[in-house]
Amino acid sequence: MSDKPTAVRVYLARVRTALADLPASEIEEILEDVRPHLAELEAELGEGARVEALIERLGTPESYAAELRASGGYPPAAEGATQVLATTKNPSLAKPRIAFWGLVLCAVALALFAFAAAVSVQPDALLGAGLFLPVFLISLFLLLRGGIEPVLALPEVAWLRQTLNKGRQQEDSGKALSYLASLKPAWWIVCAVVLIAFGLLLMLRSRGAVLLLPFLLVAGGAAVWAGPRLQRDRRLLWVAVPISAFVIGGILGGFGAAVDLISNRNSYSSSPSYYATSDRYGNDQLTYGSHEIENVYAFDAEGKPLTEVYLYDEQGRPITLTRYGCERSSGSKEKIGEDNRFPRPKIEQGVTDDQGNYNGYNGYRSACREDAGVPFSAAIPKVTVPPTTSGTPTATTTPAPTTTPATTPPPTTPTR
C-alpha cells in the first residue's frame, strides 16, 4: 500500500494550517464535520484525484477554511495568516467579476419578472427574462473556464463574507442567520413546489403558459438536486441562486396579488350598490352587477349590429377602456391603446402547429387571432308605449291597423 497522501489529506492539512489559531479541539471538530463531504467528493472524482480538482470545486483550502470560520461563528484569521495565493500570482479580476455580477444581475432580473408575473397572473410578463439569457450564459462560461476560486477571491465576495461573519457574531442577527441556515434542506423542496404551482396557476389564466410548465418542472428538479450539493461544489450557486431568486419574487408577487384581491372584495362588500375597478393598465373597468365587461355590442331596432359606436356617460365623459390586440411575433395579447369605440374584436389565444392549424392536435406555438364578428344575434322586442293620462296620442312601435270605410249604396225608391 502506497504511503503517498491522498488529495483529501493534503487539502485538509492546508485547512488545518489556516485554522491553526483556533483551539485544537475546535479544529478537530470542524475537520470531522467536513471530512465525509471531502471523501465523497474525492470518490466522485475517481482514483488519482488531485488537489487541484478539489480546489476547482471548493476553492483553495484557505478560502474554504474562511467559510468554515464564518459558518461556525469563529473570528476571522489574523491579518496576513491566509494570504498564500496573493503573493504568488496576481490574476486579472475582469473575468471572475463578470461571472459574479452576471449571476447577481440575472438573479435580480428573474426575481422582478417573477414578481410582475405573479401580481398580474400573466405569463407574458416573463418574456423579458429571455433578454438576460445571454448574460447568464456568458457568466456560466467564464465560471466553468476559470473555476470558482477566482470568483471567491474577489474583494466584493470577501466583503460579503466578512459582513455575514459579523452578522453571525451579533446575538440577534446570529440567531436569525442560524435559523435560516437550518431551513436550507426544506427550502429546496419549497422551491420545487412553488415553481410547479406557479406554472399551473398561469395555465389557468392563459393556455399559452403550457409551454412554460416544462421549464418550471426542470427548474424545480434542478433546485432539489443542486441545493444539497452546494457545500461540496460552489459552482452550483449558478443554478441555486437564480432559482431561489425567481421563487422569492414569485412568492412576494403572489402575496401582493392576494392582498389586492382581498382589498377589492372588501371594497365591494362595503358598497354593494356601486364599486369601481381598474385593469392592469390603470383604466376604469366596466361592471354590470358583479361581472366585469370587456366588450359592448349595439343593435338597431331591426336587430342589425351597429359598428363604430362611441359610448359616453350622463356627463358627456367618454367611457374609455383599454383596447387589446394581438402581438404577432409572440402570439400574445397586448395593449394597443385606449378609446370608447365599440364593439371591439374578440381576442382569442391558442396554439398552432407547423402547418399553421389553429388549436390543432399537435399545436405547440403560441398564437393569437382577432375575431371582429358578433358572436350572437339579438331579437329586439317590440314594446307598445301606453297612452298618457292627458289623452294626448302617443307613437307606438306597433303600427295601428288601417281600415277602409265601406260604401253604402243609395236608397232605392219603391215603384208602384
Side-chain angles (χ1 to χ4, degrees):
M1 183 175 63
S2 174
D3 293 334
K4 183 178 179 180
T6 63
V8 168
R9 290 171 59 186
V10 174
Y11 194 91
L12 285 177
R14 290 177 58 178
V15 172
R16 184 190 297 273
T17 301
L19 300 174
D21 58 309
L22 299 179
S25 59
E26 300 288 343
I27 296 176
E28 291 302 325
E29 183 178 348
I30 294 174
L31 295 182
E32 285 299 323
D33 289 339
V34 302
R35 188 175 281 111
H37 296 295
L38 294 176
E40 184 178 349
L41 181 56
E42 185 180 40
E44 180 183 336
L45 294 173
E47 292 187 19
R50 300 172 59 84
V51 178
E52 289 76 7
L54 292 177
I55 294 177
E56 175 70 19
R57 301 286 289 271
L58 301 174
T60 63
E62 291 74 23
S63 62
Y64 190 64
E67 291 185 13
L68 295 176
R69 286 176 180 273
S71 61
Y74 297 104
E79 189 70 24
T82 59
Q83 305 298 324
V84 176
L85 293 181
T87 59
T88 58
K89 56 181 180 179
N90 185 23
S92 173
L93 298 180
K95 293 181 179 179
R97 185 158 282 158
I98 293 174
F100 173 74
W101 286 108
L103 172 65
V104 173
L105 179 62
C106 292
V108 173
L110 283 176
L112 294 177
F113 285 117
F115 179 86
V119 168
S120 62
V121 199
Q122 291 289 342
D124 299 346
L126 297 176
L127 296 177
L131 299 176
F132 292 86
L133 181 59
V135 178
F136 177 76
L137 293 178
I138 293 174
S139 174
L140 184 62
F141 172 77
L142 294 176
L143 169 74
L144 297 178
R145 185 173 183 180
I148 190 64
E149 170 54 28
V151 178
L152 296 177
L154 289 172
E156 49 266 46
V157 177
W159 174 85
L160 179 61
R161 288 179 177 174
Q162 184 179 5
T163 303
L164 291 175
N165 187 34
K166 289 181 179 179
R168 292 187 181 96
Q169 294 176 2
Q170 303 294 328
E171 182 177 0
D172 295 335
S173 59
K175 290 181 180 179
L177 291 174
S178 299
Y179 177 73
L180 292 176
S182 66
L183 297 179
K184 284 182 180 179
W187 170 249
W188 308 117
I189 303 297
V190 171
C191 287
V193 173
V194 170
L195 288 170
I196 296 174
F198 190 65
L200 295 176
L201 178 62
L202 293 180
M203 284 179 57
L204 295 176
R205 193 65 180 266
S206 173
R207 294 180 58 183
V210 68
L211 303 176
L212 182 65
L213 187 59
F215 295 97
L216 296 177
L217 290 174
V218 172
V224 175
W225 173 81
R229 292 172 171 80
L230 279 176
Q231 187 68 25
R232 291 173 291 166
D233 190 351
R234 295 297 182 184
R235 294 178 300 179
L236 294 178
L237 286 170
W238 269 250
V239 177
V241 170
I243 294 176
S244 296
F246 185 91
V247 170
I248 292 173
I251 291 175
L252 294 177
F255 179 76
V259 171
D260 183 64
L261 178 62
I262 294 173
S263 63
N264 286 340
R265 286 185 176 179
N266 291 338
S267 174
Y268 171 66
S269 60
S270 62
S271 54
S273 60
Y274 171 78
Y275 69 100
T277 59
S278 300
D279 59 18
R280 62 193 179 106
Y281 296 105
N283 293 324
D284 291 337
Q285 180 69 43
L286 279 180
T287 58
Y288 182 73
S290 60
H291 302 283
E292 294 184 353
I293 299 175
E294 296 183 356
N295 211 343
V296 175
Y297 297 92
F299 297 82
D300 63 11
E302 302 299 326
K304 297 175 59 177
L306 302 179
T307 59
E308 298 292 329
V309 176
Y310 295 83
L311 299 185
Y312 295 84
D313 65 8
E314 68 277 7
Q315 299 181 14
R317 297 173 300 185
I319 302 177
T320 302
L321 300 181
T322 301
R323 178 176 289 273
Y324 294 95
C326 288
E327 207 285 318
R328 302 300 179 186
S329 61
S330 64
S332 61
K333 177 181 176 182
E334 69 170 2
K335 174 186 176 182
I336 60 175
E338 309 99 0
D339 55 55
N340 66 328
R341 179 166 55 92
F342 294 90
R344 277 89 184 283
K346 182 180 179 181
I347 308 300
E348 297 181 353
Q349 289 187 273
V351 292
T352 58
D353 56 20
D354 292 332
Q355 283 73 39
N357 298 319
Y358 191 79
N359 284 347
Y361 177 75
N362 296 320
Y364 67 94
R365 186 185 299 111
S366 296
C368 179
R369 64 182 183 182
E370 301 179 10
D371 184 3
V374 179
F376 59 89
S377 59
I380 307 300
K382 301 296 183 180
V383 180
T384 301
V385 181
T388 62
T389 57
S390 61
T392 303
T394 58
T396 61
T397 58
T398 303
T402 59
T403 59
T404 303
T407 304
T408 305
T412 59
T413 304
T415 57
R416 292 184 181 185

